[in-house]
Short mmCIF file of all heavy atoms in Angstrom, two decimals:
data_model
loop_
_atom_site.label_atom_id
_atom_site.label_comp_id
_atom_site.label_asym_id
_atom_site.label_seq_id
_atom_site.Cartn_x
_atom_site.Cartn_y
_atom_site.Cartn_z
N PRO A 8 85.87 25.95 -37.25
CA PRO A 8 87.15 25.29 -37.01
C PRO A 8 87.40 25.02 -35.53
O PRO A 8 86.85 25.71 -34.66
CB PRO A 8 88.16 26.34 -37.51
CG PRO A 8 87.51 27.64 -37.15
CD PRO A 8 86.01 27.43 -37.21
N GLY A 9 88.23 24.05 -35.26
CA GLY A 9 88.60 23.79 -33.87
C GLY A 9 89.45 22.56 -33.79
O GLY A 9 89.67 21.88 -34.80
N SER A 10 89.93 22.26 -32.58
CA SER A 10 90.68 21.01 -32.46
C SER A 10 89.75 19.85 -32.10
O SER A 10 90.08 18.71 -32.36
CB SER A 10 91.87 21.13 -31.51
OG SER A 10 91.63 22.01 -30.47
N PHE A 11 88.61 20.13 -31.48
CA PHE A 11 87.58 19.11 -31.22
C PHE A 11 88.18 17.82 -30.67
O PHE A 11 87.95 16.74 -31.20
CB PHE A 11 86.77 18.81 -32.49
CG PHE A 11 86.11 20.01 -33.09
CD1 PHE A 11 86.57 20.58 -34.28
CD2 PHE A 11 85.03 20.62 -32.46
CE1 PHE A 11 85.98 21.72 -34.82
CE2 PHE A 11 84.42 21.76 -33.00
CZ PHE A 11 84.91 22.29 -34.18
N HIS A 18 80.33 22.49 -27.95
CA HIS A 18 80.48 22.57 -29.42
C HIS A 18 79.15 22.23 -30.10
O HIS A 18 78.74 22.88 -31.07
CB HIS A 18 81.52 21.55 -29.92
CG HIS A 18 82.92 21.80 -29.48
ND1 HIS A 18 83.69 20.85 -28.87
CD2 HIS A 18 83.72 22.90 -29.59
CE1 HIS A 18 84.91 21.33 -28.62
NE2 HIS A 18 84.94 22.58 -29.04
N PHE A 37 91.35 21.10 -37.09
CA PHE A 37 92.70 21.61 -37.37
C PHE A 37 93.64 21.21 -36.25
O PHE A 37 93.21 20.88 -35.14
CB PHE A 37 92.68 23.15 -37.43
CG PHE A 37 92.11 23.72 -38.67
CD1 PHE A 37 90.76 24.04 -38.74
CD2 PHE A 37 92.90 23.95 -39.79
CE1 PHE A 37 90.22 24.59 -39.90
CE2 PHE A 37 92.37 24.49 -40.95
CZ PHE A 37 91.03 24.81 -41.00
N ASP A 38 94.93 21.31 -36.53
CA ASP A 38 95.94 21.20 -35.48
C ASP A 38 95.97 22.50 -34.72
O ASP A 38 95.95 23.57 -35.33
CB ASP A 38 97.33 21.05 -36.14
CG ASP A 38 97.74 19.61 -36.25
OD1 ASP A 38 97.25 18.79 -35.45
OD2 ASP A 38 98.57 19.32 -37.13
N ASN A 39 96.01 22.39 -33.39
CA ASN A 39 96.33 23.56 -32.58
C ASN A 39 97.74 23.29 -32.04
O ASN A 39 97.91 22.44 -31.16
CB ASN A 39 95.33 23.72 -31.44
CG ASN A 39 95.60 24.95 -30.61
OD1 ASN A 39 96.73 25.44 -30.60
ND2 ASN A 39 94.61 25.43 -29.91
N PRO A 40 98.76 23.98 -32.59
CA PRO A 40 100.14 23.66 -32.23
C PRO A 40 100.43 23.77 -30.74
O PRO A 40 101.40 23.20 -30.26
CB PRO A 40 100.97 24.70 -33.02
CG PRO A 40 100.05 25.20 -34.07
CD PRO A 40 98.66 25.08 -33.54
N LYS A 42 98.55 22.47 -28.44
CA LYS A 42 97.92 21.36 -27.71
C LYS A 42 98.39 20.02 -28.28
O LYS A 42 98.54 19.89 -29.50
CB LYS A 42 96.39 21.43 -27.85
CG LYS A 42 95.74 22.64 -27.24
CD LYS A 42 94.24 22.62 -27.51
CE LYS A 42 93.52 23.83 -26.99
NZ LYS A 42 92.14 23.93 -27.52
N GLY A 72 97.28 22.64 -41.63
CA GLY A 72 97.75 23.87 -42.25
C GLY A 72 96.99 25.06 -41.71
O GLY A 72 96.32 24.97 -40.68
N LEU A 73 97.09 26.16 -42.43
CA LEU A 73 96.47 27.39 -41.97
C LEU A 73 94.98 27.41 -42.26
O LEU A 73 94.54 27.03 -43.35
CB LEU A 73 97.11 28.60 -42.65
CG LEU A 73 98.45 29.11 -42.12
CD1 LEU A 73 98.91 30.30 -42.95
CD2 LEU A 73 98.35 29.50 -40.65
N LEU A 74 94.26 27.92 -41.30
CA LEU A 74 92.82 28.08 -41.44
C LEU A 74 92.46 28.94 -42.66
O LEU A 74 91.55 28.60 -43.44
CB LEU A 74 92.32 28.73 -40.14
CG LEU A 74 90.89 29.14 -39.95
CD1 LEU A 74 89.95 28.02 -40.27
CD2 LEU A 74 90.69 29.59 -38.53
N VAL A 75 93.20 30.01 -42.85
CA VAL A 75 92.88 30.91 -43.97
C VAL A 75 93.11 30.22 -45.33
O VAL A 75 92.40 30.51 -46.30
CB VAL A 75 93.69 32.23 -43.93
CG1 VAL A 75 93.20 33.13 -42.83
CG2 VAL A 75 95.17 31.99 -43.84
N ARG A 88 83.09 30.90 -34.28
CA ARG A 88 83.78 30.49 -33.05
C ARG A 88 82.82 30.71 -31.88
O ARG A 88 81.95 31.58 -31.94
CB ARG A 88 85.05 31.32 -32.84
CG ARG A 88 86.15 31.05 -33.82
CD ARG A 88 86.87 29.74 -33.61
NE ARG A 88 87.71 29.74 -32.43
CZ ARG A 88 88.32 28.64 -31.97
NH1 ARG A 88 88.16 27.46 -32.57
NH2 ARG A 88 89.08 28.70 -30.90
N TYR A 98 92.37 35.74 -26.78
CA TYR A 98 92.84 34.73 -27.73
C TYR A 98 91.99 34.75 -29.01
O TYR A 98 92.51 34.74 -30.13
CB TYR A 98 92.77 33.38 -27.02
CG TYR A 98 92.95 32.14 -27.85
CD1 TYR A 98 94.14 31.89 -28.52
CD2 TYR A 98 91.93 31.18 -27.93
CE1 TYR A 98 94.30 30.72 -29.26
CE2 TYR A 98 92.08 30.01 -28.66
CZ TYR A 98 93.26 29.78 -29.33
OH TYR A 98 93.41 28.64 -30.06
N GLU A 99 90.68 34.84 -28.83
CA GLU A 99 89.78 34.82 -30.00
C GLU A 99 89.94 36.10 -30.83
O GLU A 99 89.90 36.06 -32.05
CB GLU A 99 88.33 34.66 -29.54
CG GLU A 99 88.03 33.31 -28.92
CD GLU A 99 88.21 32.14 -29.89
OE1 GLU A 99 88.15 32.35 -31.12
OE2 GLU A 99 88.44 31.02 -29.41
N GLN A 101 92.63 37.97 -31.04
CA GLN A 101 93.91 37.86 -31.75
C GLN A 101 93.77 36.98 -32.99
O GLN A 101 94.24 37.32 -34.07
CB GLN A 101 94.90 37.16 -30.82
CG GLN A 101 95.98 38.05 -30.27
CD GLN A 101 96.98 37.22 -29.48
OE1 GLN A 101 96.64 36.23 -28.86
NE2 GLN A 101 98.22 37.64 -29.52
N MET A 102 93.12 35.83 -32.80
CA MET A 102 92.96 34.91 -33.94
C MET A 102 92.12 35.52 -35.05
O MET A 102 92.46 35.43 -36.24
CB MET A 102 92.31 33.60 -33.48
CG MET A 102 93.32 32.57 -33.06
SD MET A 102 92.75 30.89 -33.29
CE MET A 102 91.17 30.86 -32.55
N THR A 105 94.13 38.19 -36.83
CA THR A 105 95.21 37.61 -37.64
C THR A 105 94.63 36.98 -38.90
O THR A 105 95.14 37.18 -40.01
CB THR A 105 95.99 36.55 -36.82
OG1 THR A 105 96.39 37.13 -35.60
CG2 THR A 105 97.21 36.06 -37.57
N ASN A 106 93.55 36.24 -38.72
CA ASN A 106 92.93 35.59 -39.89
C ASN A 106 92.42 36.62 -40.89
O ASN A 106 92.50 36.44 -42.10
CB ASN A 106 91.79 34.67 -39.44
CG ASN A 106 92.33 33.37 -38.86
OD1 ASN A 106 93.41 32.91 -39.23
ND2 ASN A 106 91.60 32.79 -37.93
O1 PNS B 1 89.52 24.42 -30.53
P1 PNS B 1 90.74 25.27 -30.53
O2 PNS B 1 91.96 24.46 -30.13
O3 PNS B 1 90.59 26.52 -29.70
O4 PNS B 1 90.94 25.75 -32.04
C1 PNS B 1 92.06 26.52 -32.43
C2 PNS B 1 92.28 26.37 -33.94
C3 PNS B 1 92.50 24.91 -34.29
C4 PNS B 1 91.09 26.93 -34.69
C5 PNS B 1 93.56 27.21 -34.29
O5 PNS B 1 94.66 26.71 -33.57
C6 PNS B 1 93.85 27.19 -35.79
O6 PNS B 1 93.28 27.96 -36.53
N1 PNS B 1 94.74 26.26 -36.22
C7 PNS B 1 95.11 26.15 -37.62
C8 PNS B 1 96.45 26.83 -37.88
C9 PNS B 1 96.26 28.33 -38.04
O7 PNS B 1 95.66 28.81 -38.97
N2 PNS B 1 96.82 29.08 -37.07
C10 PNS B 1 96.73 30.53 -37.07
C11 PNS B 1 95.49 31.02 -36.35
S1 PNS B 1 95.41 32.78 -36.32
#
Side-chain angles (χ1 to χ4, degrees):
S10 33
F11 303 108
H18 293 127
F37 284 92
D38 264 335
N39 182 338
K42 296 177 183 168
L73 280 179
L74 176 52
V75 288
R88 291 285 289 172
Y98 169 63
E99 293 297 337
Q101 251 186 327
M102 269 209 310
T105 308
N106 283 331

